[in-house]
Amino acid sequence: MDKEFDQSQDTESRILQAAEKEFFEKGFAGARTASIAEAAGVTHAMLHYYFRTKDKLFERIITEKMNMLEEIVLSAIGDGNLPLEDRIRQGIEHHFDFIAANHELPRFLVNEVHAHPERLETMKVNMQNIAGEMLNNFQREIDECARQKPCRQVDARMLLIDIVSLNVFPFMAAPIIGEIIGSSYENYDEFLAIRKKENVETILRKLKIH
């Protein structure tokens, strides 16, 4: 029984990996379930047995990515045992690393929302789960920090947008950045390491807490 379950999990995982690659490379409209099935090493009928429709596959991938992001953000910024500065630093770094590991995701989401605005509803629930109560608690902590003078007063929502913008841009604009930086760095990985550090420092300078 356990062996059958493991095989089922492996099949599902291979389908999801193939679907993610297909969606990110070709967009939702250009993705073909037949190509996904072939890449996953399953029959077309088996793919439909597991996920029924292309929409179901899309929803599953987006939900899983948003759940991963939620876990990363909450585990970093939501850790009340750490000082505010350490949590912000950790949150920025973890978010940057998530985007680096899923560098096709931001461009794919932006393109899909522009082409199919209705898909925003699929993502909105997940984003609200991430942002909702955490942002309210985060704002209260920033307000208290500002009252005690270690940091300046900022809007937590604007701060979140700053972090996302700084972290996502190097990946959204990778081809352009590659031309701009030229041979200034040994390789793109070196540039990303420096960029991550700079993003942390930029946000902390805005808060004036270091």
Side-chain angles (χ1 to χ4, degrees), residues 12 16 51 55-64:
E12 184 176 289
L16 287 170
F51 293 101
D55 284 278
K56 293 291 184 185
L57 260 175
F58 174 84
E59 290 172 11
R60 174 68 177 275
I61 288 169
I62 297 304
T63 298
E64 287 196 356

Side-chain angles (χ1 to χ4, degrees), residues 32-179:
R32 297 288 178 264
T33 53
S35 299
I36 295 170
E38 182 179 357
V42 301
T43 64
H44 201 231
M46 186 175 288
L47 183 146
H48 281 281
Y49 169 78
Y50 276 91
F51 293 101
R52 304 300 178 192
T53 66
K54 189 166 74 167
D55 284 278
K56 293 291 184 185
L57 260 175
F58 174 84
E59 290 172 11
R60 174 68 177 275
I61 288 169
I62 297 304
T63 298
E64 287 196 356
K65 292 297 182 185
M66 293 298 106
N67 286 344
M68 287 171 59
L69 182 57
E70 178 183 4
E71 184 177 339
I72 287 168
V73 171
L74 290 180
S75 66
I77 294 180
D79 185 354
N81 295 318
L82 292 176
L84 182 61
E85 177 179 347
D86 291 346
R87 287 155 57 198
I88 290 172
R89 181 185 299 276
Q90 189 171 271
I92 296 167
E93 291 175 346
H94 288 191
H95 178 258
F96 190 97
D97 291 341
F98 172 82
I99 300 299
N102 298 272
H103 59 276
E104 301 278 1
L105 183 62
R107 187 183 297 110
F108 172 74
L109 293 180
V110 169
N111 289 341
E112 285 303 313
V113 169
H114 277 298
H116 305 281
E118 70 278 5
R119 295 201 186 284
L120 185 58
E121 291 302 316
T122 304
M123 305 170 204
K124 190 186 297 183
V125 174
N126 293 292
M127 288 188 286
Q128 287 172 342
N129 287 340
I130 298 172
E133 187 176 353
M134 184 203 74
L135 272 176
N136 292 331
N137 292 337
F138 197 35
Q139 185 66 67
R140 283 193 288 270
E141 289 190 66
I142 291 173
D143 293 344
E144 180 61 27
C145 179
R147 276 193 292 271
Q148 296 178 16
K149 305 299 183 184
C151 69
R152 66 188 287 262
Q153 179 66 48
V154 298
D155 185 323
R157 286 163 177 77
M158 290 298 104
L159 190 68
L160 180 62
I161 292 172
D162 289 340
I163 292 170
V164 172
S165 300
L166 285 168
N167 281 349
V168 167
F169 180 77
F171 303 97
M172 290 284 288
I176 299 171
I177 290 175
E179 291 298 319

